[in-house]
Amino acid sequence: EAQVTQNPRYLITVTGKKLTVTCSQNMNHEYMSWYRQDPGLGLRQIYYSMNVEVTDKGDVPEGYKVSRKEKRNFPLILESPSPNQTSLYFCASSFAGGGMNTEAFFGQGTRLTVV
Amino acid sequence: KNQVEQSPQSLIILEGKNCTLQCNYTVSPFSNLRWYKQDTGRGPVSLTIMTFSENTKSNGRYTATLDADTKQSSLHITASQLSDSASYICVVSAYGNNNDMRFGAGTRLTVKP
């Protein structure tokens, strides 16, 4: 089954304690991205990756890091989480560029609370 | 300013009724517009995708329309069911960068028995 898998689904942590949210896709997609979703706002892009070893900042990258060492994995790293990073996070993947119908598949989400 | 605006923010309807959700966008140059359904606590799932040359597309009881001249889209839900309760998100991509999606804040639909 084609899917994007995020882990963990729920996480409560304390300010300053480094954490990693994993994302894996099994569709051989080149493009992967991370979003955060906050009440009243649309999904906002944090970071994206066009392919292995190619990453770039999205709209709200501050306080986050990513890596893309393998095509299927795109972890999101919070080196020193702060309460304003409490949010619902989604990973998504799709084929890169060309063609009008580049379908994006989303993970199930990670609910992060930083206290 | 968000480039994709949706209305209403929330909507409550009775089971079996129809409803229409609106999306206005300023993303330019326009490439495609998608509607996603997002159940509470879950990831968005695609309903429809339309390019500038398409002005209507259906997926079961969901029908999306697009007016690229006025930069407006609507999602019409026919004969609503309880399972239609969800957030509906309008997403627009610019030409030449189909992977860069601009998200609306969504319309929260509640269908009551």
Side-chain angles (χ1 to χ4, degrees):
Chain A
E1 180 189 354
Q3 60 185 5
V4 179
T5 303
Q6 293 179 227
N7 279 297
R9 291 289 312 279
Y10 302 92
L11 179 60
I12 301 175
T13 190
V14 296
T15 299
K17 185 177 181 181
K18 180 180 179 179
L19 66 91
T20 299
V21 184
T22 64
C23 174
S24 179
Q25 50 93 5
N26 62 0
M27 294 166 279
N28 202 35
H29 286 159
E30 300 91 2
Y31 186 90
M32 297 184 74
S33 57
W34 276 102
Y35 300 87
R36 61 177 288 172
Q37 187 176 34
D38 301 293
L41 300 176
L43 274 77
R44 292 180 293 166
Q45 191 178 57
I46 302 170
Y47 268 94
Y48 66 94
S49 169
M50 295 296 290
N51 215 323
V52 176
E53 301 291 2
V54 181
T55 63
D56 210 342
K57 296 177 180 179
D59 297 318
V60 288
E62 295 77 21
Y64 305 94
K65 285 175 56 178
V66 293
S67 69
R68 188 88 182 274
K69 293 183 171 55
E70 305 166 286
K71 197 171 187 179
R72 63 183 293 125
N73 296 322
F74 190 45
L76 179 69
I77 304 156
L78 284 73
E79 294 272 3
S80 182
S82 62
N84 64 13
Q85 292 178 297
T86 293
S87 187
L88 180 57
Y89 291 86
F90 289 101
C91 178
S93 75
S94 62
F95 289 112
M100 293 295 187
N101 296 315
T102 307
E103 185 56 74
F105 293 84
F106 287 83
Q108 295 287 59
T110 296
R111 172 75 68 181
L112 172 66
T113 302
V114 183
V115 297
Chain B
K1 186 181 189 302
N2 197 350
Q3 300 179 56
V4 181
E5 301 287 345
Q6 292 186 243
S7 62
Q9 276 191 318
S10 61
L11 182 61
I12 301 174
I13 61 173
L14 292 175
E15 186 178 14
K17 297 296 186 184
N18 304 335
C19 67
T20 300
L21 315 180
Q22 302 289 344
C23 174
N24 297 335
Y25 63 90
T26 59
V27 176
S28 182
F30 174 80
S31 176
N32 60 69
L33 185 147
R34 319 167 201 222
W35 283 94
Y36 281 86
K37 179 185 180 186
Q38 184 179 19
D39 292 313
T40 301
R42 303 180 72 88
V45 175
S46 178
L47 292 174
T48 64
I49 180 169
M50 290 182 292
T51 64
F52 65 89
S53 61
E54 300 172 290
N55 54 25
T56 187
K57 183 163 282 189
S58 293
N59 178 359
R61 293 179 297 102
Y62 301 101
T63 299
T65 64
L66 172 66
D67 185 335
D69 291 330
T70 61
K71 296 187 167 73
Q72 295 179 324
S73 176
S74 65
L75 180 69
H76 186 74
I77 304 174
T78 303
S80 60
Q81 300 175 358
L82 298 179
S83 60
D84 291 332
S85 294
S87 287
Y88 292 84
I89 302 173
C90 176
V91 184
V92 183
S93 293
Y95 184 79
N97 193 0
N98 289 307
N99 296 117
D100 182 18
M101 297 185 288
R102 300 286 109 184
F103 292 79
T107 292
R108 177 71 203 174
L109 174 66
T110 302
V111 180
K112 294 197 166 184

